[in-house]
Amino acid sequence: MPATGCMEPDSFSEAIASGYLLSRELMEEEDRHDPLLRTRAKFLLPPGLLYFDGNSLGPLAKKSRERLLRVIDQEWGESLVRSWNVHRWIDWPRTVGAKIARLIGAEGDEVVVADSTSVNLFKLISAAVELRPGRSVILSEDRQFPTDLYMAQGLAGLRKDLRMRTVERSKLTLALDEDVAVLVLTHVDYRSGQLHDMAAMTRAAHERGALVLWDLSHSTGALPVDLNGCYVDLAVGCGYKFLNGGPGAPAFLYVARRWQHRARSPLTGWLGHRSPFAFEPTYRPASGIGRFRCGTPPILSLAALDAALDLFDGLDLEMVWRKGVSLGDAMIALVEQECEDADLEVACPQGERQRGSQVSFRHPQAYSIMQALIDRGVVGDFREPDIMRFGLGPLYTSHVDVWDAVQVLRQVLTSRAWDSERFRKREVVT
Ligand SMILES: *Cc1c(COP(=O)(O)O)cnc(C)c1O
């Protein structure tokens, strides 16, 4: 039960912590102090839409649109194939990778943009296993994002000497034995937003002689990551979530410098060759991270991603994360204050520094409720079996957005507007 009073709280987070009655005015006040106030105008967000799914598909940056038009008209349209040299298209996987490197605590030559996160998982799990001969287990967590498990299963299916093992989070350290070649973990859990302790888990794996591969899909661009500081071996991540690279944007991968001369990609495409335009009959890997490239990069998607990454120039990711957490804390507090539905439960961690930039709630009717919200212009998503998920892109979401969204949620719940045939029909993409 929130306390009511006329006393001004000292700060927003204190107001939330002390159960002070939250109001739209208080949210407006918080937005006035938002250090990211001006980044919102750099996106093309449809007016009136409350967008909470930037962790699935980030919004369109104005710069990306302009850049795409330029690349289409001038580079593709006019320079045509000459663009590979003239506009340096051939280098973009490396130069865009270097921009991402700054966001994840890596050196510029440790990151390359290529393929999808799924394909990069395959390449790096395979490389890790080869770097640990005599070990036969790929260890992961049972609630891991499925593609990470599927790709490991696919690789294990190709090699009789390899197997996949999954355990629950609390048993990971125990399961790290002398047989584990690589530990594959997602830094921010896609459903609950729960954060792994990257430094501690990496250390635990190394103590047992295993390598670590972190999936940064829900971390990159939302919170600070320090791959080098944590001595991480390998990592992958998404271009279209908090990096706002656009639908199907290429992903990135990281290989620590100390492994680059020995790590090998199993997908030995010509653009990972030391000298692609020598057209030699035998594969020889490029000397650095470039060996993890495979085929021709998707230039239009890379252009959109490259331009979107410029929005992070000069941004302190610690501050970005603090805002995301504040939005999440506000949403949880507001749902508790405004929504009296006994079936609604918070499904994400609430402690300090334990969550990425998203919140989730559990409800037996989560799917239908989310469809009713989307119908009213509040876009989040649904994750099996009963999770309503709200991504909180700190670069474009305001505290007032959160207030307004919770008002719509309250109205959907009290009116039972979700209880309708058309909100029960399962779409292909949820
Ligand atoms: C979104 C996401 C992916 C996406 O993989 P794609 O190959 O881009 O479809 C992979 N892993 C995690 C943890 C994700 O959240």
Side-chain angles (χ1 to χ4, degrees):
M1 187 64 188
T4 49
C6 51
M7 193 180 65
E8 275 300 309
D10 286 326
S11 79
F12 186 69
S13 51
E14 268 174 44
I16 289 181
S18 60
Y20 190 89
L21 189 68
L22 302 175
S23 62
R24 198 169 193 277
E25 288 67 42
L26 196 60
M27 300 291 146
E28 279 167 359
E29 181 60 25
E30 190 57 19
D31 286 342
R32 269 194 288 278
H33 301 133
D34 178 3
L36 291 167
L37 198 60
R38 270 187 289 279
T39 51
R40 182 187 179 96
K42 298 183 177 177
F43 291 92
L44 286 162
L45 281 158
L49 190 77
L50 295 168
Y51 195 63
F52 295 94
D53 217 359
N55 54 342
S56 192
L57 177 62
L60 172 61
K62 289 177 182 168
K63 281 247 162 65
S64 293
R65 185 176 178 278
E66 287 163 15
R67 181 77 183 280
L68 272 173
L69 292 174
R70 209 166 64 237
V71 171
I72 289 171
D73 290 340
Q74 293 169 19
E75 303 187 7
W76 180 13
E78 289 176 22
S79 304
L80 281 161
V81 76
R82 290 168 291 179
S83 299
W84 290 103
N85 291 317
V86 177
H87 300 296
R88 308 307 306 169
W89 283 358
I90 197 67
D91 292 333
W92 286 4
R94 185 174 56 76
T95 54
V96 180
K99 283 188 185 175
I100 295 174
R102 292 203 297 258
L103 306 179
I104 55 178
E107 297 294 331
D109 60 2
E110 291 178 311
V111 179
V112 72
V113 174
D115 304 308
S116 63
T117 305
S118 301
V119 172
N120 289 339
L121 280 161
F122 187 84
K123 293 189 288 194
L124 292 195
I125 296 171
S126 169
V129 168
E130 274 196 3
L131 289 169
R132 283 292 172 265
R135 293 176 175 238
S136 63
V137 173
I138 303 165
L139 179 66
S140 191
E141 197 177 341
D142 51 4
R143 289 156 51 89
Q144 172 84 272
F145 188 83
T147 208
D148 301 57
L149 302 178
Y150 299 164
M151 296 313 283
Q153 288 162 12
L155 180 69
L158 293 174
R159 295 182 42 154
K160 297 287 160 286
D161 58 333
L162 207 58
R163 70 197 169 83
M164 167 92 204
R165 183 169 178 220
T166 57
V167 297
E168 60 183 74
R169 182 169 294 207
S170 62
K171 307 239 163 72
L172 278 169
T173 318
L174 216 62
L176 274 167
D177 59 25
E178 254 70 282
D179 219 14
V180 175
V182 58
L183 173 64
V184 181
L185 291 176
T186 299
H187 186 217
V188 172
D189 182 81
Y190 74 106
R191 259 185 300 227
S192 68
Q194 189 177 1
L195 205 61
H196 261 297
D197 183 337
M198 180 179 280
M201 289 311 296
T202 303
R203 210 177 311 116
H206 287 170
E207 275 165 11
R208 293 309 179 97
L211 299 191
V212 183
L213 194 176
W214 286 100
D215 186 331
L216 304 175
S217 289
H218 287 283
S219 318
T220 318
L223 50 101
V225 174
D226 189 8
L227 292 180
N228 283 343
C230 296
Y231 217 60
V232 169
D233 305 293
L234 307 160
V236 297
C238 248
Y240 50 77
K241 292 173 179 165
F242 288 106
L243 295 184
N244 312 305
F252 66 88
L253 64 84
Y254 154 95
V255 178
R257 255 187 210 156
R258 63 186 175 281
W259 293 119
Q260 284 183 8
H261 62 294
R262 284 166 60 202
R264 295 196 329 148
S265 173
L267 303 179
T268 46
W270 72 308
L271 285 185
H273 193 278
R274 176 176 294 264
S275 184
F277 287 86
F279 294 103
E280 295 169 5
T282 306
Y283 182 81
R284 286 188 299 135
S287 58
I289 190 81
R291 65 177 58 183
F292 283 93
R293 292 175 63 171
C294 187
T296 306
I299 289 301
L300 298 184
S301 292
L302 260 169
L305 174 61
D306 189 27
L309 281 167
D310 288 344
L311 298 193
F312 288 94
D313 270 357
L315 286 191
D316 169 14
L317 281 162
E318 184 67 35
M319 178 268 284
V320 170
W321 187 24
R322 236 181 290 126
K323 172 161 176 209
V325 169
S326 168
L327 292 166
D329 287 346
M331 190 157 217
I332 293 167
L334 280 172
V335 165
E336 285 174 344
Q337 175 181 305
E338 302 285 310
C339 303
E340 287 175 12
D341 186 312
D343 287 332
L344 194 65
E345 259 179 61
V346 178
C348 55
Q350 297 187 61
E352 222 172 291
R353 304 185 82 83
Q354 285 181 30
R355 190 177 69 218
S357 211
Q358 64 173 75
V359 290
S360 40
F361 302 92
R362 206 172 277 123
H363 192 287
Q365 301 299 334
Y367 183 79
S368 300
I369 296 169
M370 186 50 78
Q371 303 319 300
L373 287 176
I374 293 171
D375 190 57
R376 286 159 176 74
V378 178
V379 180
D381 59 21
F382 165 81
R383 285 295 175 263
E384 291 284 358
D386 56 359
I387 300 281
M388 285 187 273
R389 191 176 72 154
F390 297 90
L392 301 156
L395 270 54
Y396 46 84
T397 311
S398 70
H399 286 78
V400 165
D401 291 341
V402 169
W403 171 273
D404 291 345
V406 173
Q407 293 308 312
V408 178
L409 175 62
R410 180 176 60 83
Q411 189 263 334
V412 162
L413 289 171
T414 50
S415 66
R416 293 179 65 89
W418 53 266
D419 195 2
S420 147
E421 200 50 51
R422 69 187 176 114
F423 295 140
R424 278 191 281 276
K425 184 183 165 293
R426 284 289 165 104
E427 296 283 357
V428 179
V429 177
T430 60

